Amino acid sequence: MNLMTLTIGLLGEHLENSLSPLIHRSFICHYSLNYCYLPFQIKTENLEKAIYGAKALGIHGLNVTIPFKEKSMGFMDSIDPAAEKIGAINTIVRKNEKLYGYNTDWNGFKEPLKKNMKIKLIDKKAIVLGAGGAARSVVFALAEEGCPVISIFNRSKDRALGLKRNFNNIFPQCEIKTFPFQRKNLQEEIDNADLLVNTTPLGSWYYPGQNPLPEEIKPPSKLIVYDLIYCPDRTPLLRWAEINGNRILNGKEMLIYQAAESFYLWTGLYPDQDIMTKILSKIRKKENL
Ligand code: NAP
């Protein structure tokens, strides 16, 4: 490190399990850049001071993670139109003494479907489990790609309705339906769906062994099941889908694609497929240690 080193990093409340430092340091190393990526674990009450402090210190860019993706928007000088519509940012770029907010989660979500699984989302009916921050990026990406119907299942009704209202205005051509988690509704919607996306944390290390769906639900064979959770590799939802013979996708590729776009925003370099594949296998090996 020297005076010319550009600092980038991650702002969040609990960063113990974050894979972002590993991913970005691998990108930096691959391109031999004079950058360093640091985790900044802060308390919620210090968010404003941390963002303005980073601006004053000349920190070149930041990722923002749970629970700051919405709150940090208020401290930006400018917000990218997609992030504005989604209502959350996960990337900050400092340019000419100003802070610019972006959201790379929505592209990160759709790229693995398009590139790795060769799926065209136009005319596909989708189900989204959850209505939090990640669900907003997912619904934005699905509607933007031309999904005509999106059925949202969420525990709290108000959050689901808020999401529906927001995106009804932006995408009037997309029918957005909301439901409580009830078996009858789930089975009916799943019977007609092409894609099911889990954006709840059920099945992650915080909620191990939990499946957001009742095991008795039967998926149609065409259903693709996508769980945004990236650890473990196979959540109970994905195991259920696999047993039923459905195509599955976990959140690891999304994690890498959203990181790749953030990296591009800071450096102007979009990481090549080779390094992304190498990082994926590095993450898998780390998990199996
Ligand atoms: P969030 O804003 O807190 O939203 C969580 C959602 O899950 C809410 O809809 C919440 O319902 C629901 N939920 C939480 N606990 C639940 C429970 N016990 N039973 C039923 N529903 C429950 O979180 P987020 O930012 O959207 O993140 C959600 C997940 O996506 C996390 O596991 C995160 O790691 C993952 N994610 C992955 C990537 C990636 O790159 N792969 C990127 C972003 C997020 P209520 O509205 O009722 O509270």
Side-chain angles (χ1 to χ4, degrees):
M1 281 175 73
N2 53 38
L3 259 183
M4 304 304 285
T5 305
L6 292 178
T7 303
I8 46 181
L10 170 64
L11 213 52
E13 198 169 36
H14 299 287
L15 302 180
E16 303 85 357
N17 294 313
S18 174
L19 291 170
S20 294
L22 182 150
I23 297 173
H24 284 289
R25 286 173 190 159
S26 303
F27 289 156
I28 290 169
C29 188
H30 181 72
Y31 290 105
S32 307
L33 299 181
N34 190 5
Y35 278 63
C36 87
Y37 189 94
L38 300 173
F40 298 107
Q41 186 164 292
I42 60 157
K43 295 201 171 91
T44 299
E45 61 266 30
N46 290 327
L47 179 66
E48 180 173 1
K49 280 186 229 154
I51 291 181
Y52 289 138
K55 188 178 182 180
L57 286 170
I59 286 180
H60 183 63
L62 289 169
N63 278 136
V64 186
T65 188
I66 298 173
F68 303 137
K69 290 186 182 182
E70 289 99 11
K71 286 185 202 117
S72 48
M73 288 178 84
F75 310 122
M76 297 299 106
D77 296 296
S78 174
I79 292 170
D80 173 69
E84 188 85 60
K85 288 176 188 152
I86 292 166
I89 59 171
N90 71 336
T91 307
I92 300 175
V93 183
R94 183 179 178 276
K95 249 184 290 181
N96 305 324
E97 311 281 321
K98 287 199 160 63
L99 298 181
Y100 295 82
Y102 298 86
N103 186 307
T104 69
D105 280 336
W106 70 281
N107 262 327
F109 160 75
K110 71 177 184 180
E111 284 305 281
L113 280 173
K114 291 170 75 175
K115 287 200 177 137
N116 305 12
M117 297 187 93
K118 312 281 177 228
I119 290 159
K120 290 195 176 79
L121 289 167
I122 194 158
D123 295 334
K124 298 282 191 298
K125 290 184 182 160
I127 292 178
V128 176
L129 308 179
R136 295 178 80 86
S137 296
V138 167
V139 171
F140 179 81
L142 293 172
E144 228 251 345
E145 285 289 314
C147 282
V149 183
I150 303 174
S151 304
I152 298 166
F153 286 82
N154 198 48
R155 183 176 58 177
S156 72
K157 190 177 171 190
D158 286 356
R159 209 163 180 194
L161 286 175
L163 194 153
K164 175 185 159 92
R165 261 195 300 276
N166 180 57
F167 289 111
N168 268 346
N169 291 334
I170 301 168
F171 299 106
Q173 74 286 3
C174 175
E175 185 188 357
I176 299 177
K177 306 193 272 185
T178 61
F179 300 92
F181 270 97
Q182 277 167 3
R183 202 182 135 194
K184 183 173 168 286
N185 293 333
L186 279 164
Q187 186 66 69
E188 271 172 23
E189 292 304 302
I190 286 176
D191 281 345
N192 293 312
D194 302 288
L195 174 69
L196 182 140
V197 186
N198 177 39
T199 76
T200 78
L202 298 182
S204 69
W205 59 77
Y206 295 117
Y207 298 91
Q210 293 195 34
N211 187 342
L213 294 181
E215 300 270 335
E216 328 69 92
I217 298 261
K218 286 281 161 247
S221 58
K222 65 173 179 175
L223 189 76
I224 294 157
V225 180
Y226 188 169
D227 200 329
L228 298 203
I229 292 168
Y230 46 83
C231 183
D233 222 36
R234 292 279 190 282
T235 57
L237 175 74
L238 294 184
R239 271 191 264 115
W240 162 85
E242 226 172 17
I243 289 166
N244 282 292
N246 295 85
R247 292 175 76 192
I248 61 167
L249 188 62
N250 69 27
K252 282 201 172 73
E253 276 92 348
M254 170 175 175
L255 188 71
I256 293 179
Y257 278 109
Q258 62 78 27
E261 199 184 327
S262 297
F263 189 77
Y264 172 73
L265 290 167
W266 297 322
T267 65
L269 293 168
Y270 193 90
D272 57 60
Q273 200 57 52
D274 229 35
I275 179 66
M276 293 211 243
T277 311
K278 275 190 193 139
I279 296 173
L280 251 182
S281 68
K282 211 192 251 184
I283 291 173
R284 288 201 178 110
K285 271 190 207 132
K286 191 173 178 265
E287 229 170 66
N288 293 330
L289 284 179

